[in-house]
Amino acid sequence: MTGLRARQKADRNRRILEAATTLFREQGYDSARIEDIAEMAEVSVGTLYNYYQNKGDILVATVSMEVTEVIEAGERIVANPPPSVNEALGALIAQYFDHSLVYLSKEMWRTAMASAIQQPETPLSKRYTELDTCLCAQVVQLIGTLQRRGVVIAGVDTRALGEVFFNNLNMMFIEFCKHESMPLEQLKTRVAEQNRPIAELISSVKRVGPASNS
């Protein structure tokens, strides 16, 4: 019975989050009502409040679900990365960006970011910061894995480099969310262009240019 109750609880939670993300996209975060989320999720308003106190809590849970899935997928890339620094970074960052709009719209990301900045002591802000820290740690782990495999030159500070790569992709993602018309492919292309010179500098395997005819 305990297992059944846990499954039922997880199912209700999933329905609430799916209903909320649908209404947030269709109506906008500010316009979506708790009552409508409960109705779409086929739970009572009282049941919904047993899970979440307000829309902000639902938004945090959605961001958490998003980032958790991204990190789990990223673990497979870190465990067996592509053979070059540029390719490995590209694969991991593409995984982050490609999944970024599965549950959340740009408006929802902006709302979460703004709330995290404006109210730094709230559970929303602390959870947002925790998730960012986990993503940064995974990028650091990737650079460390590449160094241990001899792909990144020895002596390079992998923690500092990982943080640089993460901070850049994070800032570019903020720019992406600020501009509603900016396509995902443009974001990925710009970040790849910015990462390429650093990736080449730290790579233990240098590209060889075309041979001279002289």
Side-chain angles (χ1 to χ4, degrees):
M1 289 298 292
T2 302
L4 176 60
R5 283 196 294 271
R7 288 194 298 273
Q8 290 173 336
K9 184 176 181 180
D11 178 64
R12 283 193 293 270
N13 182 57
R14 187 77 183 195
R15 294 205 312 269
I16 290 168
L17 294 181
E18 288 176 349
T21 55
T22 297
L23 290 176
F24 290 164
R25 286 178 182 275
E26 292 177 352
Q27 301 177 6
Y29 175 80
D30 290 334
S31 299
R33 302 189 315 147
I34 288 288
E35 293 80 4
D36 294 333
I37 294 172
E39 181 179 355
M40 180 174 284
E42 299 181 339
V43 299
S44 69
V45 173
T47 296
L48 188 149
Y49 279 121
N50 287 334
Y51 288 78
Y52 303 105
Q53 294 183 5
N54 50 50
K55 288 193 296 183
D57 286 349
I58 297 174
L59 184 59
V60 174
T62 307
V63 171
S64 183
M65 180 171 64
E66 168 76 48
V67 176
T68 297
E69 291 186 9
V70 163
I71 290 172
E72 288 175 353
E75 287 174 354
R76 294 190 289 273
I77 296 172
V78 172
N80 188 29
S84 75
V85 179
N86 210 38
E87 289 173 319
L89 274 172
L92 186 63
I93 293 171
Q95 175 64 46
Y96 292 170
F97 289 160
D98 285 342
H99 202 294
S100 63
L101 299 180
V102 171
Y103 301 121
L104 295 99
S105 64
K106 289 189 179 185
E107 184 219 16
M108 292 161 67
W109 275 114
R110 290 194 297 269
T111 301
M113 291 172 188
S115 297
I117 294 169
Q118 291 170 355
Q119 304 175 59
E121 297 305 316
T122 62
L124 184 154
S125 179
K126 291 178 179 179
R127 179 57 177 158
Y128 193 95
T129 300
E130 178 185 336
L131 293 168
D132 257 5
T133 300
C134 291
L135 285 170
C136 183
Q138 190 167 67
V139 179
V140 170
Q141 185 182 4
L142 174 67
I143 303 302
T145 298
L146 293 172
Q147 189 178 62
R148 287 191 296 275
R149 294 187 176 189
V151 178
V152 169
I153 57 178
V156 165
D157 186 335
T158 57
R159 180 190 60 79
L161 266 173
E163 290 173 353
V164 167
F165 285 125
F166 174 76
N167 289 338
N168 182 63
L169 74 88
N170 200 26
M171 180 56 67
M172 289 302 298
F173 183 69
I174 292 171
E175 288 297 310
F176 169 70
C177 291
K178 283 167 57 179
H179 298 90
E180 200 65 42
S181 62
M182 183 177 177
L184 191 60
E185 286 307 312
Q186 183 180 344
L187 168 66
K188 291 161 67 176
T189 298
R190 289 180 64 184
V191 172
E193 290 171 347
Q194 292 161 358
N195 285 342
R196 189 173 296 114
I198 303 175
E200 291 176 357
L201 283 173
I202 66 172
S203 176
S204 62
V205 180
K206 303 301 181 183
R207 291 194 307 173
V208 179
S212 172
N213 292 325
S214 57

